[in-house]
Amino acid sequence: VLPSVLAVRHAKRHLARWMRPRRARLSPLFWPSRAMIVPQPLGVVGIVVPWNYPLYLAVGPLVGALAAGNRVMLKISEYTPNFGRVFAEQCLHYLGDDVVGVVNGGPEQAAEFVRLPFDHLLFTGSTQIGRQVMAAAADNLTPVTLELGGKCPVLVAQDANMRCAARRILQAKMTNAGQTCVAPDYVLVEESAKDALISAMKDIAQTSLSAPGAIPACIITEKHCQRLHALLETAEEDNKVEWLIPPGHGRDMGLALVDNPPLDGPLMQEEIFGPVLPVIGVRSFNDAIDFVRCRPHPLAVYAFTNDAKKIHAVHTDILCGGLVINDCALHVVQDALPFGGVRSSGIGQYRGVYGFETFSKLKPVFIQSRVSPTDWLLGPSSKLKARLTDWLIRWGR
């Protein structure tokens, strides 16, 4: 609720400035002409909302699309039918179905939804489904913004505060039971600090995450539970699994730590999207960077270190959707920052002014003056015109 409200307030506070036509700098060659960039609504925007954060991932892009002056249609996940019903009622009551239309239904309705000729389509979900959405949108040449998944790594250097790192990693991992696209997927820690980090994680899990009133690690459906247990099976055979928080009743899965799982196994090949955390020892922080660079570009990277050289190396050597130093996932709720992935982790970005621009056509406007130096280019050529043209080109640099 909080980031949804903050997104609305941020847009209301800054929208007048975002809408204002922007002066564009021209080469002196074209003076005294003028140019500007004018934001213009695209038309109708389609938004496909996932089940894990149905309110925030509906309101976030909706704010940007409405701020840009568009009409919007949203497809709500079939896994959140109660939310979908209430959200549709509220949108109808406060905005009207001529401004925002909410569609509820299953996979068949979703498939039809993404085939509609929207002026822009935003999808949040898995990389696999994202490919299908992009293919469907291509039939109408609909531009897409895809917020996808991937394995978000955590890099922990030996100089980091291990207890602080453990607390922030587990807090981000256990939010919504790890069912978050930017949740820490696995941890790469220098071997000299690995035991200290795991010890801190065990202590925090016992004292904080297992305390009375702690939020259970509830998985969305039994099908998703079975998928997570299947990922753990190969690691359990090698006795690499340790339950920091034991499983509870029903779909309360607890929290499992996996020590050095096989790198070619499904646990390190698939996005986990649940309360399972592999911890892998590496010889050095540079090895951790190389490990990440050899894999698909992640949606987010988290690095725990106080060494300026290591921070700079992460900045420059890893291409990713977002980077957080000494914490996890908090970049997502910053309306002053764009949110988006790279290739398999996403296409395009939104949030704040970046969402306004994503859902706008930034139209270039050139206004010619009554007298223009380019008028000399017309008509028969002459030595004088050639010299003048050469002088204008040199001066225009």
Side-chain angles (χ1 to χ4, degrees):
V1 172
L2 178 61
S4 299
V5 172
L6 292 178
V8 175
R9 290 180 178 174
H10 182 81
K12 290 175 67 176
R13 184 177 299 116
H14 299 286
L15 182 55
R17 178 170 55 86
W18 297 347
M19 294 171 59
R20 194 176 301 137
R22 311 166 196 179
R23 291 290 299 271
R25 184 186 178 95
L26 290 178
S27 166
L29 180 63
F30 300 99
W31 288 354
S33 305
R34 294 178 292 124
M36 63 183 67
I37 299 171
V38 181
Q40 187 172 5
L42 293 174
V44 180
V45 172
I47 298 173
V48 181
V49 183
W51 51 261
N52 56 336
Y53 292 93
L55 177 63
Y56 184 44
L57 295 180
V59 171
L62 177 63
V63 167
L66 292 181
N70 300 285
R71 300 294 188 260
V72 182
M73 291 178 64
L74 298 103
K75 168 63 179 72
I76 307 298
S77 171
E78 67 272 20
Y79 291 117
T80 55
N82 293 332
F83 167 82
R85 175 180 53 80
V86 173
F87 193 71
E89 293 172 354
Q90 299 303 308
C91 286
L92 177 63
H93 178 72
Y94 287 103
L95 299 172
D97 57 6
D98 59 331
V99 176
V100 176
V102 179
V103 178
N104 287 288
E108 297 80 9
Q109 285 76 17
E112 290 297 323
F113 185 87
V114 298
R115 282 197 287 265
L116 295 174
F118 291 112
D119 297 291
H120 196 99
L121 177 63
L122 184 142
F123 168 82
T124 304
S126 69
T127 302
Q128 178 185 2
I129 303 300
R131 290 191 177 95
Q132 300 174 21
V133 170
M134 191 172 185
D139 290 339
N140 296 307
L141 294 180
T142 297
V144 295
T145 298
L146 304 178
E147 299 302 334
L148 308 177
K151 300 181 75 64
C152 299
V154 182
L155 287 65
V156 182
Q158 61 182 357
D159 67 278
N161 182 317
M162 293 302 149
R163 185 166 183 85
C164 178
R167 183 177 67 253
R168 292 174 180 176
I169 293 169
L170 293 185
Q171 182 178 17
K173 184 65 172 178
M174 292 304 292
T175 298
N176 205 24
Q179 300 168 116
T180 307
C181 59
V182 292
D185 194 277
Y186 62 92
V187 177
L188 300 169
V189 56
E190 292 189 81
E191 284 285 2
S192 58
K194 181 183 173 185
D195 290 343
L197 179 65
I198 292 178
S199 177
M201 286 182 173
K202 292 178 180 178
D203 182 57
I204 290 169
Q206 293 173 2
T207 57
S208 300
L209 299 178
S210 299
I215 300 175
C218 191
I219 307 303
I220 183 71
T221 65
E222 186 60 36
K223 175 184 175 182
H224 287 74
C225 273
Q226 293 173 1
R227 182 188 68 84
L228 290 169
H229 283 295
L231 288 177
L232 283 171
E233 283 183 0
T234 54
E236 287 177 331
E237 292 174 359
D238 298 328
N239 298 318
K240 293 179 177 290
V241 177
E242 182 172 358
W243 291 93
L244 300 186
I245 302 174
H249 298 289
R251 291 179 278 112
D252 181 359
M253 190 168 172
L255 173 61
L257 185 146
V258 184
D259 190 355
N260 282 330
L263 299 183
D264 58 351
L267 199 61
M268 289 303 297
Q269 298 298 317
E270 302 177 20
E271 183 180 8
I272 295 174
F273 219 69
V276 178
L277 184 63
V279 178
I280 301 168
V282 293
R283 289 180 301 174
S284 67
F285 196 77
N286 286 334
D287 286 343
I289 292 177
D290 291 339
F291 186 98
V292 176
R293 290 183 63 190
C294 292
R295 284 156 176 78
H297 302 309
L299 183 57
V301 171
Y302 311 120
F304 286 84
T305 179
N306 297 307
D307 187 319
K309 291 183 178 179
K310 292 178 180 177
I311 293 174
H312 179 73
V314 174
H315 272 298
T316 56
D317 294 346
I318 297 178
L319 179 61
C320 58
L323 173 64
V324 180
I325 305 297
N326 291 324
D327 214 322
C328 298
L330 291 183
H331 66 296
V332 175
V333 293
Q334 311 304 319
D335 290 302
L337 296 177
F339 176 65
V342 181
R343 293 199 62 179
S344 61
S345 62
I347 297 173
Q349 57 191 14
Y350 69 103
R351 292 280 194 276
V353 66
Y354 306 97
F356 175 85
E357 292 181 350
T358 289
F359 300 118
S360 298
K361 165 59 181 174
L362 300 181
K363 183 166 63 179
V365 178
F366 182 85
I367 305 171
Q368 184 63 280
S369 61
R370 293 183 61 184
V371 178
S372 170
T374 58
D375 292 338
W376 285 87
L377 300 176
L378 300 176
S381 61
S382 67
K383 290 184 179 180
L384 177 62
K385 285 187 176 182
R387 290 177 181 176
L388 180 60
T389 301
D390 182 65
W391 179 81
L392 287 172
I393 291 174
R394 293 175 183 273
W395 183 58
R397 291 177 182 174

